[in-house]
Amino acid sequence: MKRILPYLLFILFSATIFATEIVKEDGLPRIYIDTKNKASIESREKEIPGTMTWQENAAEKEREPLAITVRCRGNSSFNDMPKHSYRVHGEKKFSPPGMAPHKDWALVTNYADRSMIRDRITYTLARELGADFAPKTVDVELFINGKYEGVYLLVETPKVSEKRINIKNSEYLVEVDNKYHPKDVVVFDREKRPFNIKYPKHPDEKQIAGVKKRIENFEAYLYNEFPSESTLENLSQQMDLEDYFRFYWIQEVSKNPDLFLSSTYFTLRDDEKIHMGPVWDFDAAYGIYPKKTIPMEWHARKRGWNKRLFMNPAFKAAAREYWNNHHKVFESMLDSMEVFARQLTPAAENNYRRWDILQDTTNRFHYKKYGNYGETVLSLKTWYRQRMEWIDKALDKE
């Protein structure tokens, strides 16, 4: 025992030093989640009760714990990534600084995105382009039952409420969702795409039939009448064009792999129009997935309804006009990337001590090795700049 004791003390001392080093103060707010009886969070279905405490900075005392339940969330982040995303539901509404009170929040892992800013950039872009709702976010460091879990993005979830997706009780929130679960309420279109009715939460048979009928009517018009029309007058009665072009160009510039597969939201409103959005889930976009996604070639215009829409010359011209009119907004995201990355740089050191993946190429979302965090951001900026340049040249040729 005398021989073993010094060794055990050395291990304990080393672990303490390492724990202190890995969570050194870096300016980000910290979230502490403590589950009841230290229960592990391992399921997307089972809600684990616990508390959540917010600490704005090291100088501020931890705030009063909030009663919550927490579970895993996501699909790829749950199945393919050791650093999971979480859904947090408060017993009461709570509000991180600068954000409206709500019970539902997501803690997004950003494991696929080693720059950790792709989602934040996309939601910022949507707001700058005038979206009614684009999720607000805050970068945080997360601790679960005393263990450091890394940098996360705390995000407003796409829920119907006055301060988020503000639609009437008579209106609908729908998601194109190939990853829907058996308990979800889903209707299918002519292409057998699943449309998941997200709001109302428990639609009745009349509401379900109404959603299906509106999708069928729009697609009948889109496939049978629209391509040969000389103006967009009739289309503008079926779809809000401002919402559409904003949504489309965000998807196109990012080459979002999920478009018209999952996380593709729109609302059906009493004005009888389809309103595309909100945008959601871009951590695998901007060149990450599929591996080695090049910044050239059209992407979004080949997906879903876009294939029919872009058969119409007037529509193509209107899409080009939107891009040209909002070019400076898209271009400004390069500066935003620099700002967001600068804010994250100290915390990135903590995160990549916890998750040593900068040179990882084993995960299906990681094809490139990086020497440091700055290289991940430079790679994103280079890809984005090349993407914009390609779009400019391609539009000039049309």
Side-chain angles (χ1 to χ4, degrees):
M1 184 65 183
K2 290 182 179 179
R3 294 179 180 177
I4 296 175
L5 184 58
Y7 179 72
L8 291 176
L9 290 173
F10 172 76
I11 294 294
L12 180 61
F13 176 76
S14 299
T16 302
I17 292 295
F18 179 72
T20 303
E21 182 184 12
I22 200 171
V23 293
K24 66 182 181 180
E25 172 60 27
D26 51 41
L28 291 190
R30 291 180 173 181
I31 288 179
Y32 300 88
I33 291 177
D34 293 286
T35 60
K36 186 177 180 179
N37 299 322
K38 307 295 183 183
S40 298
I41 309 167
E42 300 175 345
S43 169
R44 287 181 296 183
E45 286 75 38
K46 185 178 180 181
E47 301 276 357
I48 305 296
T51 61
M52 186 187 85
T53 308
W54 178 278
Q55 185 180 28
E56 183 64 19
N57 54 60
E60 180 191 73
K61 292 183 179 179
E62 295 175 16
R63 301 179 186 181
E64 287 296 316
L66 301 166
I68 63 165
T69 59
V70 58
R71 60 173 174 81
C72 295
R73 64 168 301 279
N75 291 293
S76 297
S77 63
F78 180 74
N79 294 312
D80 303 328
M81 303 175 194
K83 183 186 178 188
H84 288 159
S85 292
Y86 301 101
R87 180 260 196 179
V88 175
H89 182 82
E91 185 178 281
K92 299 178 180 179
K93 292 181 180 180
F94 61 92
S95 55
M99 302 163 86
H102 206 281
K103 290 184 177 181
D104 286 292
W105 301 85
L107 282 162
V108 176
T109 170
N110 280 328
Y111 187 86
D113 172 19
R114 287 172 288 179
S115 77
M116 299 187 287
I117 62 175
R118 280 170 167 81
D119 275 337
R120 189 178 176 190
I121 282 294
T122 306
Y123 305 149
T124 300
L125 175 58
R127 275 193 298 277
E128 292 294 316
L129 290 171
D132 291 338
F133 168 72
K136 290 183 179 178
T137 66
V138 59
D139 294 304
V140 301
E141 290 192 288
L142 177 64
F143 296 75
I144 298 179
N145 294 326
K147 183 180 179 182
Y148 178 71
E149 295 296 342
V151 174
Y152 276 74
L153 192 66
L154 182 71
V155 189
E156 294 178 323
T157 52
K159 297 285 186 179
V160 173
S161 70
E162 183 181 355
K163 297 297 184 179
R164 294 191 182 176
I165 304 172
N166 189 11
I167 60 175
K168 301 174 184 176
N169 292 336
S170 56
E171 298 174 330
Y172 302 90
L173 174 65
V174 182
E175 176 189 7
V176 183
D177 185 14
N178 281 349
K179 301 173 183 177
Y180 70 91
H181 300 153
K183 65 180 180 180
D184 293 332
V185 180
V186 176
V187 299
F188 295 87
D189 73 347
R190 62 190 293 154
E191 304 291 335
K192 306 303 180 185
R193 276 186 294 259
F195 289 74
N196 192 343
I197 302 174
K198 309 296 287 188
Y199 180 86
K201 190 172 182 180
H202 302 291
D204 58 32
E205 292 300 322
K206 183 178 180 181
Q207 291 170 319
I208 296 170
V211 170
K212 183 174 177 61
K213 186 64 174 176
R214 288 184 66 172
I215 293 171
E216 288 176 344
N217 288 345
F218 174 69
E219 290 190 342
Y221 163 75
L222 191 62
Y223 281 77
N224 298 325
E225 301 174 43
F226 175 69
S228 62
E229 290 189 352
S230 59
T231 71
L232 302 184
E233 183 179 354
N234 289 331
L235 179 65
S236 68
Q237 303 305 311
Q238 306 249 359
M239 173 183 281
D240 185 290
L241 295 182
E242 181 72 17
D243 284 350
Y244 172 82
F245 287 124
R246 178 193 308 113
F247 185 87
Y248 164 75
W249 277 115
I250 292 173
Q251 304 289 336
E252 188 67 86
V253 76
S254 67
K255 284 191 127 177
N256 181 18
D258 288 336
L259 177 60
F260 273 99
L261 297 175
S262 67
S263 300
T264 302
Y265 287 92
F266 61 89
T267 53
L268 298 173
R269 304 191 192 178
D270 291 345
D271 61 5
E272 298 299 323
K273 297 180 183 181
I274 292 173
H275 293 256
M276 298 302 297
V279 293
W280 180 253
D281 192 8
F282 284 73
D283 63 329
Y286 303 95
I288 286 183
Y289 191 82
K291 286 186 176 182
K292 300 182 181 179
T293 297
I294 61 174
M296 287 69 76
E297 300 176 353
W298 293 116
H299 171 73
R301 66 167 61 183
K302 300 177 182 178
R303 295 284 186 95
W305 293 332
N306 298 335
K307 288 185 290 185
R308 302 296 297 184
L309 289 165
F310 275 92
M311 292 175 65
N312 182 289
F315 187 85
K316 289 178 71 173
R320 181 171 60 250
E321 182 180 14
Y322 185 94
W323 173 259
N324 291 334
N325 289 344
H326 297 85
H327 196 276
K328 289 184 178 179
V329 178
F330 286 93
E331 193 173 353
S332 71
M333 289 304 104
L334 289 164
D335 291 332
S336 295
M337 291 176 194
E338 191 68 33
V339 172
F340 296 163
R342 195 179 306 125
Q343 294 168 353
L344 274 177
T345 296
E349 183 178 343
N350 286 346
N351 186 79
Y352 291 119
R353 282 196 183 126
R354 175 66 177 86
W355 305 100
D356 187 16
I357 57 172
L358 286 178
Q359 296 202 8
D360 172 50
T361 56
T362 58
N363 187 277
R364 69 187 179 100
F365 293 100
H366 300 160
Y367 74 90
K368 190 174 181 180
K369 294 183 178 181
Y370 298 106
N372 54 57
Y373 174 66
E375 290 182 8
T376 72
V377 180
L378 178 60
S379 177
L380 169 60
K381 290 180 67 176
T382 300
W383 190 96
Y384 188 88
R385 187 179 291 107
Q386 291 174 347
R387 180 67 178 151
M388 286 197 65
E389 290 172 354
W390 183 87
I391 290 173
D392 289 340
K393 292 177 182 177
L395 292 176
D396 286 343
K397 294 177 181 178
E398 289 186 345

